[in-house]
Amino acid sequence: MNVGHEIKLLVEEIKRLGTKNTDGQTTVKFGVLFNDDRCANIFEALVGTLKAAKKKNVISFEGELLLQGVHDNVDITLLQE
């Protein structure tokens, strides 16, 4: 798969699993995304897809890299719907 396609799929999964914050943006915890069975089947390298989406300003999250367990409670915010 190409990166653009994976980012599009990521946006759909964030919309599916996330909730709207007070600013009207969709957010999801990294742990929710990482542990979702559907996401596990879609993304071979979820962390890499997240990093690429952040670089393209599609999403935002604190830090450069998210790791399972350590960063499960980090919010991923969708910037472009």
Side-chain angles (χ1 to χ4, degrees), residues 10 12-19 26-41 43 46 50 66-76:
L10 177 66
E12 293 303 314
E13 294 307 307
I14 291 172
K15 287 180 184 178
R16 180 176 68 85
L17 296 168
T19 56
T26 304
T27 64
V28 66
K29 300 283 185 198
F30 174 67
V32 171
L33 199 61
F34 191 90
N35 292 312
D36 182 72
D37 287 339
R38 185 168 159 182
C39 286
N41 290 330
F43 304 105
L46 176 61
L50 288 168
L66 298 175
L67 301 173
Q68 182 188 15
V70 178
H71 299 113
D72 282 355
N73 288 319
V74 172
D75 284 318
I76 298 169

Side-chain angles (χ1 to χ4, degrees), residues 27-28 52 57 63 77 79 81:
T27 64
V28 66
N57 292 316
T77 304
L79 301 176
E81 304 219 13

Side-chain angles (χ1 to χ4, degrees), residues 41-56:
N41 290 330
I42 294 173
F43 304 105
E44 286 185 31
L46 176 61
V47 173
T49 304
L50 288 168
K51 195 170 180 179
K54 183 177 181 179
K55 190 174 182 180
K56 294 182 181 287

